[in-house]
Amino acid sequence: MPLSAASIHARLLTAGLPTFPRTVARLEHLIVEVEAPAAIIASVIATDPSLATLVIGQTNAAGHSTTQLSEAIRRTGMGVVLSTARSAVPIPEAQRSALATCWAQANATAVLLPMLVDYRQHIIHSTWDAETLYLVGLIHDMGHVLAMGQFQTEYARAAKRLADGEQDLESLIASELGATPSQLVALAAHTWHLPPVLAIPMAHWRKPGGAPDLAELTAAVHIAHVLVHAAGFSAAGDRYVPIMDDWALTKLNLRIADCETLLARMFDAMDELELYEGALR
């Protein structure tokens, strides 16, 4: 039986975001023992969607409007960054493999999105820097992470139905839980104090035509996610590649040959990237 709206809201208000304990331990070492510079700390956080969300949210909540992790770390200081990382929920052993695939998919999307926006610069006319676009791609699917991490029973039932032959994990989660991942993250983004350039694509990338603003960017996130998924980066129970939205393709004037070119560039860029738990395949 789906949960009530009040129950979902209460769970989201009290929920922490999951992260790998070894990432927090690495930050402890770099900040406390090595006293590493902000750029090094940012590079570690930029591989972890949950920590990136928390750090950016904490910085914006403190009144520092930014969409760059490096600037967020400089503005809030290492002590706050470490405290924020420690507030994340350690991923239990049983979920590590599944969430590792989410992290790998997020990292791949983060690499591809700035390339896609640059490739269609004459259409998107973006003024966003590459670091902001990387972050948009990294945290775009936090709704899926929320559904899996905070509503484990309902998510497991939806994933089983998908494995049994039913279609569309988003709809199956809504049937079991009472809200889609997109609806979950739309609620959570306000609590996380995320600026619109992060929150809008996060809530609308699955159906980019419904975005209230930032239509081209949201379309780019949708396309980047689908291409990454088609390249083999499936995440947890979400095993089937979503259908590419015709509106998004038309909005950015993309053809199959363009998509192939972008994927080739993404894999070239990722040759030297180290992704979580060996989930790159």
Side-chain angles (χ1 to χ4, degrees):
M1 180 179 177
L3 301 178
S4 67
S7 296
I8 292 171
H9 286 198
R11 187 87 62 90
L12 290 177
L13 285 173
T14 58
L17 285 177
T19 193
F20 290 94
R22 74 178 190 181
T23 306
V24 178
R26 187 179 179 192
L27 288 171
E28 293 255 11
H29 171 71
L30 289 171
I31 293 173
V32 177
E33 299 176 29
V34 179
E35 297 184 0
I40 298 297
I41 303 305
S43 70
V44 174
I45 295 172
T47 63
D48 188 305
S50 288
L51 293 184
T53 300
L54 289 171
V55 168
I56 284 291
Q58 181 71 24
T59 305
N60 280 270
H64 306 297
S65 178
T66 184
T67 54
Q68 296 180 337
L69 282 171
S70 56
E71 182 181 355
I73 292 166
R74 286 194 296 268
R75 285 183 175 275
T76 58
M78 294 297 186
V80 173
V81 170
L82 183 55
S83 176
T84 301
R86 287 168 174 166
S87 73
V89 178
I91 297 172
E93 185 68 35
Q95 283 196 306
R96 287 188 184 180
S97 177
L99 279 170
T101 63
C102 292
W103 265 226
Q105 186 184 78
N107 276 265
T109 307
V111 170
L112 180 56
L113 184 62
M115 295 179 180
L116 174 53
V117 171
D118 182 67
Y119 190 75
R120 277 296 176 261
Q121 184 67 42
H122 62 287
I123 294 174
I124 298 176
H125 301 297
S126 159
T127 58
W128 305 297
D129 58 277
E131 189 174 355
T132 294
L133 292 170
Y134 184 98
L135 183 61
V136 174
L138 184 72
I139 70 174
H140 80 282
D141 203 17
M142 288 302 293
H144 190 187
V145 174
L146 277 178
M148 183 165 44
Q150 303 303 329
F151 303 92
Q152 297 177 25
T153 301
E154 294 80 10
Y155 183 90
R157 288 200 298 260
K160 183 179 185 306
R161 289 173 61 183
L162 188 74
D164 289 342
E166 296 186 56
Q167 298 297 310
D168 187 7
L169 183 62
E170 176 103 340
S171 298
L172 293 174
I173 291 173
S175 173
E176 295 291 343
L177 174 58
T180 66
S182 298
Q183 290 168 335
L184 291 178
V185 84
L187 292 169
H190 178 71
T191 304
W192 294 335
H193 304 282
L194 297 181
V197 70
L198 302 177
I200 290 175
M202 183 185 286
H204 295 279
W205 71 265
R206 291 182 185 271
K207 297 179 179 179
D213 201 355
L214 302 171
E216 291 85 2
L217 178 59
T218 306
V221 173
H222 169 85
I223 291 168
H225 177 99
V226 175
L227 289 177
V228 162
H229 201 151
F233 293 87
S234 59
D238 197 5
R239 62 176 62 186
Y240 298 115
V241 178
I243 296 173
M244 191 80 78
D245 187 281
D246 288 338
W247 177 89
L249 287 170
T250 302
K251 190 75 174 175
L252 300 187
N253 192 24
L254 283 170
R255 297 174 177 83
I256 296 299
D258 298 315
C259 294
E260 292 172 349
T261 297
L262 286 164
L263 280 177
R265 292 181 183 180
M266 181 194 79
F267 279 113
D268 285 345
M270 291 177 65
D271 277 347
E272 298 181 3
L273 287 182
E274 182 179 342
L275 297 184
Y276 271 81
E277 305 291 330
L280 174 60
R281 54 189 178 278

